[in-house]
PDB file of all heavy atoms in Angstrom:
ATOM      1  N   LEU A 488       4.860  -6.041 -12.472  1.00 75.00           N
ATOM      2  CA  LEU A 488       5.775  -6.901 -11.741  1.00 75.00           C
ATOM      3  C   LEU A 488       6.311  -8.003 -12.638  1.00 75.00           C
ATOM      4  O   LEU A 488       7.509  -8.301 -12.643  1.00 75.00           O
ATOM      5  CB  LEU A 488       5.054  -7.504 -10.526  1.00 75.00           C
ATOM      6  CG  LEU A 488       5.843  -8.491  -9.669  1.00 75.00           C
ATOM      7  CD1 LEU A 488       7.106  -7.837  -9.140  1.00 75.00           C
ATOM      8  CD2 LEU A 488       4.970  -8.996  -8.526  1.00 75.00           C
ATOM      9  N   GLY A 489       5.424  -8.604 -13.439  1.00 81.00           N
ATOM     10  CA  GLY A 489       5.838  -9.683 -14.319  1.00 81.00           C
ATOM     11  C   GLY A 489       6.832  -9.226 -15.369  1.00 81.00           C
ATOM     12  O   GLY A 489       7.817  -9.915 -15.654  1.00 81.00           O
ATOM     13  N   ARG A 490       6.587  -8.061 -15.967  1.00 81.00           N
ATOM     14  CA  ARG A 490       7.492  -7.554 -17.002  1.00 81.00           C
ATOM     15  C   ARG A 490       8.883  -7.327 -16.435  1.00 81.00           C
ATOM     16  O   ARG A 490       9.896  -7.706 -17.062  1.00 81.00           O
ATOM     17  CB  ARG A 490       6.934  -6.251 -17.566  1.00 81.00           C
ATOM     18  CG  ARG A 490       7.766  -5.674 -18.711  1.00 81.00           C
ATOM     19  CD  ARG A 490       7.146  -4.409 -19.256  1.00 81.00           C
ATOM     20  NE  ARG A 490       7.077  -3.358 -18.257  1.00 81.00           N
ATOM     21  CZ  ARG A 490       6.624  -2.131 -18.485  1.00 81.00           C
ATOM     22  NH1 ARG A 490       6.150  -1.822 -19.683  1.00 81.00           N
ATOM     23  NH2 ARG A 490       6.602  -1.223 -17.527  1.00 81.00           N
ATOM     24  N   ARG A 491       8.953  -6.725 -15.254  1.00 75.00           N
ATOM     25  CA  ARG A 491      10.262  -6.447 -14.647  1.00 75.00           C
ATOM     26  C   ARG A 491      10.971  -7.754 -14.240  1.00 75.00           C
ATOM     27  O   ARG A 491      12.179  -7.912 -14.446  1.00 75.00           O
ATOM     28  CB  ARG A 491      10.076  -5.546 -13.426  1.00 75.00           C
ATOM     29  CG  ARG A 491      11.388  -5.141 -12.771  1.00 75.00           C
ATOM     30  CD  ARG A 491      11.165  -4.061 -11.734  1.00 75.00           C
ATOM     31  NE  ARG A 491      10.272  -4.476 -10.677  1.00 75.00           N
ATOM     32  CZ  ARG A 491       9.043  -3.997 -10.508  1.00 75.00           C
ATOM     33  NH1 ARG A 491       8.561  -3.095 -11.340  1.00 75.00           N
ATOM     34  NH2 ARG A 491       8.282  -4.416  -9.520  1.00 75.00           N
ATOM     35  N   THR A 492      10.216  -8.692 -13.688  1.00 76.00           N
ATOM     36  CA  THR A 492      10.800  -9.944 -13.216  1.00 76.00           C
ATOM     37  C   THR A 492      11.309 -10.797 -14.371  1.00 76.00           C
ATOM     38  O   THR A 492      12.410 -11.356 -14.304  1.00 76.00           O
ATOM     39  CB  THR A 492       9.750 -10.735 -12.419  1.00 76.00           C
ATOM     40  OG1 THR A 492       9.300  -9.941 -11.315  1.00 76.00           O
ATOM     41  CG2 THR A 492      10.341 -12.026 -11.887  1.00 76.00           C
ATOM     42  N   ILE A 493      10.521 -10.891 -15.438  1.00 80.00           N
ATOM     43  CA  ILE A 493      10.953 -11.662 -16.604  1.00 80.00           C
ATOM     44  C   ILE A 493      12.203 -11.034 -17.213  1.00 80.00           C
ATOM     45  O   ILE A 493      13.106 -11.741 -17.681  1.00 80.00           O
ATOM     46  CB  ILE A 493       9.814 -11.744 -17.630  1.00 80.00           C
ATOM     47  CG1 ILE A 493       8.696 -12.635 -17.082  1.00 80.00           C
ATOM     48  CG2 ILE A 493      10.315 -12.294 -18.967  1.00 80.00           C
ATOM     49  CD1 ILE A 493       7.448 -12.651 -17.927  1.00 80.00           C
ATOM     50  N   GLY A 494      12.271  -9.715 -17.170  1.00 75.00           N
ATOM     51  CA  GLY A 494      13.472  -9.035 -17.661  1.00 75.00           C
ATOM     52  C   GLY A 494      14.717  -9.473 -16.905  1.00 75.00           C
ATOM     53  O   GLY A 494      15.773  -9.723 -17.496  1.00 75.00           O
ATOM     54  N   THR A 495      14.598  -9.596 -15.592  1.00 72.00           N
ATOM     55  CA  THR A 495      15.734 -10.034 -14.782  1.00 72.00           C
ATOM     56  C   THR A 495      16.087 -11.488 -15.058  1.00 72.00           C
ATOM     57  O   THR A 495      17.259 -11.835 -15.223  1.00 72.00           O
ATOM     58  CB  THR A 495      15.427  -9.857 -13.285  1.00 72.00           C
ATOM     59  OG1 THR A 495      15.193  -8.478 -13.010  1.00 72.00           O
ATOM     60  CG2 THR A 495      16.596 -10.341 -12.432  1.00 72.00           C
ATOM     61  N   LEU A 496      15.072 -12.350 -15.126  1.00 74.00           N
ATOM     62  CA  LEU A 496      15.315 -13.775 -15.338  1.00 74.00           C
ATOM     63  C   LEU A 496      15.895 -14.066 -16.717  1.00 74.00           C
ATOM     64  O   LEU A 496      16.567 -15.077 -16.915  1.00 74.00           O
ATOM     65  CB  LEU A 496      14.015 -14.562 -15.138  1.00 74.00           C
ATOM     66  CG  LEU A 496      13.505 -14.625 -13.693  1.00 74.00           C
ATOM     67  CD1 LEU A 496      12.133 -15.288 -13.644  1.00 74.00           C
ATOM     68  CD2 LEU A 496      14.489 -15.381 -12.806  1.00 74.00           C
ATOM     69  N   THR A 497      15.632 -13.199 -17.677  1.00 74.00           N
ATOM     70  CA  THR A 497      16.183 -13.384 -19.020  1.00 74.00           C
ATOM     71  C   THR A 497      17.438 -12.531 -19.243  1.00 74.00           C
ATOM     72  O   THR A 497      17.853 -12.315 -20.382  1.00 74.00           O
ATOM     73  CB  THR A 497      15.122 -13.037 -20.096  1.00 74.00           C
ATOM     74  OG1 THR A 497      14.640 -11.703 -19.882  1.00 74.00           O
ATOM     75  CG2 THR A 497      13.961 -14.007 -20.034  1.00 74.00           C
ATOM     76  N   ASP A 498      18.017 -12.051 -18.150  1.00 71.00           N
ATOM     77  CA  ASP A 498      19.271 -11.286 -18.201  1.00 71.00           C
ATOM     78  C   ASP A 498      19.168 -10.015 -19.025  1.00 71.00           C
ATOM     79  O   ASP A 498      20.118  -9.609 -19.706  1.00 71.00           O
ATOM     80  CB  ASP A 498      20.419 -12.153 -18.742  1.00 71.00           C
ATOM     81  CG  ASP A 498      20.805 -13.263 -17.782  1.00 71.00           C
ATOM     82  OD1 ASP A 498      20.592 -13.085 -16.566  1.00 71.00           O
ATOM     83  OD2 ASP A 498      21.316 -14.298 -18.239  1.00 71.00           O
ATOM     84  N   THR A 499      18.013  -9.361 -18.966  1.00 73.00           N
ATOM     85  CA  THR A 499      17.855  -8.080 -19.650  1.00 73.00           C
ATOM     86  C   THR A 499      18.651  -7.010 -18.916  1.00 73.00           C
ATOM     87  O   THR A 499      18.478  -6.807 -17.719  1.00 73.00           O
ATOM     88  CB  THR A 499      16.376  -7.676 -19.700  1.00 73.00           C
ATOM     89  OG1 THR A 499      15.642  -8.701 -20.386  1.00 73.00           O
ATOM     90  CG2 THR A 499      16.192  -6.359 -20.432  1.00 73.00           C
ATOM     91  N   ALA A 500      19.515  -6.333 -19.634  1.00 74.00           N
ATOM     92  CA  ALA A 500      20.366  -5.319 -19.006  1.00 74.00           C
ATOM     93  C   ALA A 500      19.528  -4.139 -18.543  1.00 74.00           C
ATOM     94  O   ALA A 500      18.649  -3.676 -19.277  1.00 74.00           O
ATOM     95  CB  ALA A 500      21.427  -4.845 -19.991  1.00 74.00           C
ATOM     96  N   PRO A 501      19.757  -3.635 -17.340  1.00 76.00           N
ATOM     97  CA  PRO A 501      19.057  -2.426 -16.883  1.00 76.00           C
ATOM     98  C   PRO A 501      19.300  -1.267 -17.831  1.00 76.00           C
ATOM     99  O   PRO A 501      20.410  -1.111 -18.356  1.00 76.00           O
ATOM    100  CB  PRO A 501      19.679  -2.158 -15.500  1.00 76.00           C
ATOM    101  CG  PRO A 501      20.236  -3.475 -15.062  1.00 76.00           C
ATOM    102  CD  PRO A 501      20.677  -4.166 -16.322  1.00 76.00           C
ATOM    103  N   ALA A 502      18.275  -0.487 -18.061  1.00 79.00           N
ATOM    104  CA  ALA A 502      18.376   0.631 -19.011  1.00 79.00           C
ATOM    105  C   ALA A 502      19.532   1.560 -18.647  1.00 79.00           C
ATOM    106  O   ALA A 502      19.621   2.042 -17.513  1.00 79.00           O
ATOM    107  CB  ALA A 502      17.066   1.412 -19.050  1.00 79.00           C
ATOM    108  N   GLY A 503      20.416   1.788 -19.594  1.00 83.00           N
ATOM    109  CA  GLY A 503      21.506   2.732 -19.410  1.00 83.00           C
ATOM    110  C   GLY A 503      22.720   2.195 -18.672  1.00 83.00           C
ATOM    111  O   GLY A 503      23.747   2.880 -18.601  1.00 83.00           O
ATOM    112  N   ALA A 504      22.634   0.976 -18.115  1.00 86.00           N
ATOM    113  CA  ALA A 504      23.745   0.457 -17.306  1.00 86.00           C
ATOM    114  C   ALA A 504      24.993   0.231 -18.149  1.00 86.00           C
ATOM    115  O   ALA A 504      26.112   0.584 -17.744  1.00 86.00           O
ATOM    116  CB  ALA A 504      23.327  -0.845 -16.622  1.00 86.00           C
ATOM    117  N   ARG A 505      24.833  -0.348 -19.322  1.00 86.00           N
ATOM    118  CA  ARG A 505      25.974  -0.623 -20.186  1.00 86.00           C
ATOM    119  C   ARG A 505      26.686   0.674 -20.571  1.00 86.00           C
ATOM    120  O   ARG A 505      27.919   0.768 -20.495  1.00 86.00           O
ATOM    121  CB  ARG A 505      25.499  -1.356 -21.440  1.00 86.00           C
ATOM    122  CG  ARG A 505      26.592  -1.675 -22.434  1.00 86.00           C
ATOM    123  CD  ARG A 505      26.008  -2.446 -23.616  1.00 86.00           C
ATOM    124  NE  ARG A 505      27.019  -2.705 -24.621  1.00 86.00           N
ATOM    125  CZ  ARG A 505      27.352  -1.860 -25.578  1.00 86.00           C
ATOM    126  NH1 ARG A 505      26.738  -0.676 -25.646  1.00 86.00           N
ATOM    127  NH2 ARG A 505      28.279  -2.166 -26.454  1.00 86.00           N
ATOM    128  N   GLU A 506      25.928   1.678 -20.977  1.00 90.00           N
ATOM    129  CA  GLU A 506      26.510   2.950 -21.387  1.00 90.00           C
ATOM    130  C   GLU A 506      27.202   3.640 -20.215  1.00 90.00           C
ATOM    131  O   GLU A 506      28.239   4.286 -20.369  1.00 90.00           O
ATOM    132  CB  GLU A 506      25.427   3.862 -21.974  1.00 90.00           C
ATOM    133  CG  GLU A 506      24.831   3.380 -23.293  1.00 90.00           C
ATOM    134  CD  GLU A 506      23.847   2.241 -23.128  1.00 90.00           C
ATOM    135  OE1 GLU A 506      23.483   1.932 -21.962  1.00 90.00           O
ATOM    136  OE2 GLU A 506      23.446   1.644 -24.140  1.00 90.00           O
ATOM    137  N   HIS A 507      26.610   3.493 -19.020  1.00 89.00           N
ATOM    138  CA  HIS A 507      27.185   4.135 -17.838  1.00 89.00           C
ATOM    139  C   HIS A 507      28.537   3.519 -17.486  1.00 89.00           C
ATOM    140  O   HIS A 507      29.505   4.237 -17.176  1.00 89.00           O
ATOM    141  CB  HIS A 507      26.220   4.003 -16.665  1.00 89.00           C
ATOM    142  CG  HIS A 507      26.623   4.796 -15.463  1.00 89.00           C
ATOM    143  ND1 HIS A 507      26.825   6.167 -15.488  1.00 89.00           N
ATOM    144  CD2 HIS A 507      26.879   4.414 -14.184  1.00 89.00           C
ATOM    145  CE1 HIS A 507      27.171   6.593 -14.292  1.00 89.00           C
ATOM    146  NE2 HIS A 507      27.222   5.539 -13.488  1.00 89.00           N
ATOM    147  N   VAL A 508      28.624   2.189 -17.545  1.00 90.00           N
ATOM    148  CA  VAL A 508      29.894   1.516 -17.262  1.00 90.00           C
ATOM    149  C   VAL A 508      30.949   1.931 -18.281  1.00 90.00           C
ATOM    150  O   VAL A 508      32.107   2.225 -17.935  1.00 90.00           O
ATOM    151  CB  VAL A 508      29.706  -0.016 -17.282  1.00 90.00           C
ATOM    152  CG1 VAL A 508      31.064  -0.718 -17.216  1.00 90.00           C
ATOM    153  CG2 VAL A 508      28.831  -0.463 -16.119  1.00 90.00           C
ATOM    154  N   ALA A 509      30.553   1.969 -19.550  1.00 90.00           N
ATOM    155  CA  ALA A 509      31.502   2.362 -20.596  1.00 90.00           C
ATOM    156  C   ALA A 509      32.004   3.790 -20.391  1.00 90.00           C
ATOM    157  O   ALA A 509      33.198   4.077 -20.585  1.00 90.00           O
ATOM    158  CB  ALA A 509      30.834   2.229 -21.965  1.00 90.00           C
ATOM    159  N   ALA A 510      31.112   4.683 -19.991  1.00 90.00           N
ATOM    160  CA  ALA A 510      31.502   6.083 -19.775  1.00 90.00           C
ATOM    161  C   ALA A 510      32.511   6.200 -18.638  1.00 90.00           C
ATOM    162  O   ALA A 510      33.481   6.976 -18.721  1.00 90.00           O
ATOM    163  CB  ALA A 510      30.265   6.920 -19.478  1.00 90.00           C
ATOM    164  N   ILE A 511      32.307   5.433 -17.566  1.00 90.00           N
ATOM    165  CA  ILE A 511      33.260   5.451 -16.451  1.00 90.00           C
ATOM    166  C   ILE A 511      34.620   4.936 -16.914  1.00 90.00           C
ATOM    167  O   ILE A 511      35.671   5.511 -16.601  1.00 90.00           O
ATOM    168  CB  ILE A 511      32.733   4.597 -15.280  1.00 90.00           C
ATOM    169  CG1 ILE A 511      31.443   5.197 -14.706  1.00 90.00           C
ATOM    170  CG2 ILE A 511      33.789   4.468 -14.186  1.00 90.00           C
ATOM    171  CD1 ILE A 511      30.766   4.321 -13.670  1.00 90.00           C
ATOM    172  N   ALA A 512      34.601   3.840 -17.672  1.00 89.00           N
ATOM    173  CA  ALA A 512      35.856   3.227 -18.115  1.00 89.00           C
ATOM    174  C   ALA A 512      36.654   4.177 -19.007  1.00 89.00           C
ATOM    175  O   ALA A 512      37.889   4.241 -18.906  1.00 89.00           O
ATOM    176  CB  ALA A 512      35.559   1.929 -18.863  1.00 89.00           C
ATOM    177  N   ARG A 513      35.995   4.918 -19.867  1.00 89.00           N
ATOM    178  CA  ARG A 513      36.697   5.816 -20.792  1.00 89.00           C
ATOM    179  C   ARG A 513      37.413   6.956 -20.059  1.00 89.00           C
ATOM    180  O   ARG A 513      38.353   7.554 -20.598  1.00 89.00           O
ATOM    181  CB  ARG A 513      35.712   6.393 -21.804  1.00 89.00           C
ATOM    182  CG  ARG A 513      35.176   5.362 -22.790  1.00 89.00           C
ATOM    183  CD  ARG A 513      34.378   6.023 -23.913  1.00 89.00           C
ATOM    184  NE  ARG A 513      33.785   5.025 -24.780  1.00 89.00           N
ATOM    185  CZ  ARG A 513      32.512   4.636 -24.697  1.00 89.00           C
ATOM    186  NH1 ARG A 513      31.709   5.189 -23.792  1.00 89.00           N
ATOM    187  NH2 ARG A 513      32.048   3.722 -25.522  1.00 89.00           N
ATOM    188  N   GLN A 514      36.954   7.261 -18.849  1.00 89.00           N
ATOM    189  CA  GLN A 514      37.555   8.360 -18.098  1.00 89.00           C
ATOM    190  C   GLN A 514      38.808   7.942 -17.317  1.00 89.00           C
ATOM    191  O   GLN A 514      39.503   8.783 -16.760  1.00 89.00           O
ATOM    192  CB  GLN A 514      36.523   8.944 -17.123  1.00 89.00           C
ATOM    193  CG  GLN A 514      35.343   9.607 -17.822  1.00 89.00           C
ATOM    194  CD  GLN A 514      34.280  10.071 -16.838  1.00 89.00           C
ATOM    195  OE1 GLN A 514      34.435   9.924 -15.628  1.00 89.00           O
ATOM    196  NE2 GLN A 514      33.199  10.628 -17.346  1.00 89.00           N
ATOM    197  N   VAL A 515      39.072   6.644 -17.284  1.00 89.00           N
ATOM    198  CA  VAL A 515      40.236   6.151 -16.539  1.00 89.00           C
ATOM    199  C   VAL A 515      41.492   6.325 -17.390  1.00 89.00           C
ATOM    200  O   VAL A 515      41.558   5.838 -18.526  1.00 89.00           O
ATOM    201  CB  VAL A 515      40.049   4.663 -16.162  1.00 89.00           C
ATOM    202  CG1 VAL A 515      41.315   4.117 -15.502  1.00 89.00           C
ATOM    203  CG2 VAL A 515      38.858   4.515 -15.225  1.00 89.00           C
TER     204      VAL A 515
END
Side-chain angles (χ1 to χ4, degrees):
L488 177 58
R490 183 178 62 177
R491 183 170 60 250
T492 301
I493 290 173
T495 299
L496 290 173
T497 56
D498 292 333
T499 301
R505 179 178 177 275
E506 293 76 9
H507 188 57
V508 171
I511 296 173
R513 291 189 185 100
Q514 295 175 2
V515 175

